[in-house]
Amino acid sequence: MGKKWTMASIPDQCGRVAVVTGANTGLGYETAKALAEHGASVVLAVRNVEKGEQAAACMPGDVTVQALDLTSLDSVRTAAAALRSRLDRIDLLINNAGVMYTPKQTTADGFEMQFGTNHLGHFALTGLLLDLMLPVPGSRVVTVSSTGHRIQAAIHFDDLHWKRSYSRVAAYGQSKLTNLMFTYELQRRLAAHGTTVAVAAHPGVSNTDLIRHTPAALRLPVTWLAPLITQTPAMGALPTLRAATDPGAFGGQYYGPGGRNEIKGHPRLVTSSPESYEVAVQQRLWAVSEDLTGVKFPVLQPQHNSVPSGSAITI
């Protein structure tokens, strides 16, 4: 068995600039803190600026805060413009923020909350910042998915916003499946450029405040079992950090915990569901996402014959 990948495995990040969404708590906090500890200049892109400032004060080095509310495309555009005015490059964009199992509600733009926050907000942010990454060798877009992408998961193009009926579990599964499909299609489009790559990760079952919206029937059992079935946020952040910093990582790969059923453990390369690799669905989702957000990415030509989704692309 190979050596376990830990925080100590993170290479020196001096000179690199990282933007981490949802970085004031949980997985995002641990991700941002580890990058800062290894020398990166880190921007905490957060909805609550006050909490972001409190988080930044607990981190070493050059750590700043940027207001970002992924439930509002106006906020996403404002945040992207602010970042563009203060940064001349981005080495790491870590799309970490997310919501899980929320009651039926919509974003400011009328999108189902989980799909709008977890996917469309990050899709728009990535598109608006990508040209700050394309000239930077070794730059990476890392999007955080979940094992939940396998649960009741499909892309419901006929009712993306669950207006006819709503299942918080299925809606979450759809949003996490879109995170992977976005990563794989983005990687296919980036492949010809040879600089920026797209990688995905998932934290396994980590003990964070995301479980606050767990359905009532499951909340008490989850609370009781948490010490047995969950890992710390610091451990849960390791797959994201490996996807972001491991020199041996490749575009189009997916990292998760190496333990049984990918629940806990040190990060390793994992495989997502067969549905996540469906190229035609990825392409359709991309087109729909551009239409819904109004964000067009820099001209990226898909390499459909040479780079199948999920294949290894050397960084």
Side-chain angles (χ1 to χ4, degrees):
M1 181 178 293
K3 183 179 178 182
K4 293 179 178 178
W5 204 94
T6 68
M7 291 286 184
S9 305
I10 300 172
D12 180 22
Q13 298 297 298
C14 288
R16 305 192 85 195
V17 177
V19 176
V20 185
T21 69
N24 63 290
T25 187
L27 301 171
Y29 173 87
E30 297 295 342
T31 300
K33 181 171 178 284
L35 292 171
E37 288 173 344
H38 285 80
S41 296
V42 182
V43 180
L44 314 184
V46 299
R47 185 170 58 86
N48 188 314
V49 173
E50 181 179 356
K51 290 183 178 179
E53 296 286 1
Q54 292 171 358
C58 298
M59 299 179 191
D62 180 15
V63 181
T64 57
V65 177
Q66 173 59 53
L68 169 68
D69 183 353
L70 290 164
T71 70
S72 164
L73 290 177
D74 282 346
S75 175
V76 172
R77 291 181 183 278
T78 298
L83 289 169
R84 295 176 66 84
S85 71
R86 59 193 273 203
L87 303 175
D88 58 8
R89 62 182 283 162
I90 296 175
D91 296 78
L92 299 174
L93 173 59
I94 299 182
N95 293 324
N96 160 83
V99 293
M100 182 174 76
Y101 298 163
T102 56
K104 186 176 183 179
Q105 53 189 302
T106 58
T107 69
D109 303 284
F111 308 140
E112 186 276 316
M113 182 62 71
Q114 297 180 89
F115 179 66
T117 304
N118 299 348
H119 170 59
L120 291 175
H122 282 128
F123 179 94
L125 183 67
T126 304
L128 292 167
L129 295 179
L130 192 60
D131 63 348
L132 289 180
M133 305 186 73
L134 291 175
V136 182
S139 55
R140 306 185 192 185
V141 177
V142 179
T143 300
V144 179
S145 183
S146 165
T147 54
H149 85 274
R150 299 177 182 272
I151 302 173
Q152 301 182 35
I155 310 300
H156 299 268
F157 288 109
D158 61 336
D159 190 17
L160 281 171
H161 306 296
W162 301 84
K163 293 181 178 180
R164 293 199 293 270
S165 64
Y166 182 69
S167 163
R168 66 174 73 187
V169 174
Y172 179 69
Q174 173 179 262
S175 74
K176 294 288 101 178
L177 180 58
T178 60
N179 288 154
L180 286 163
M181 289 188 158
F182 166 59
T183 296
Y184 298 152
E185 180 64 17
L186 177 58
Q187 174 57 35
R188 185 181 298 106
R189 292 166 180 255
L190 288 168
H193 295 264
T195 52
T196 310
V197 298
V199 193
H202 82 82
V205 182
S206 299
N207 192 4
T208 71
D209 61 2
L210 267 183
I211 64 173
R212 67 187 181 277
H213 292 302
T214 300
L218 297 176
R219 195 172 302 132
L220 193 56
V222 167
T223 301
W224 284 343
L225 292 172
L228 298 176
I229 65 172
T230 66
Q231 59 183 356
T232 65
M235 281 296 294
L238 283 179
T240 300
L241 287 163
R242 185 168 189 178
T245 68
D246 187 346
F250 298 100
Q253 289 184 329
Y254 181 38
Y255 287 87
R260 186 175 182 181
N261 297 321
E262 300 173 26
I263 292 174
K264 300 196 293 186
H266 294 270
R268 64 175 175 86
L269 190 63
V270 297
T271 303
S272 56
S273 67
E275 292 81 4
S276 68
Y277 295 111
E278 294 180 359
V279 173
V281 181
Q282 294 168 11
Q283 293 173 331
R284 184 178 179 187
L285 174 65
W286 187 281
V288 168
S289 300
E290 284 194 329
D291 287 343
L292 290 173
T293 62
V295 173
K296 302 295 183 183
F297 277 56
V299 177
L300 303 172
Q301 296 301 323
Q303 302 294 296
H304 298 297
N305 295 327
S306 60
V307 187
S309 226
S311 65
I313 309 300
T314 303
I315 293 175

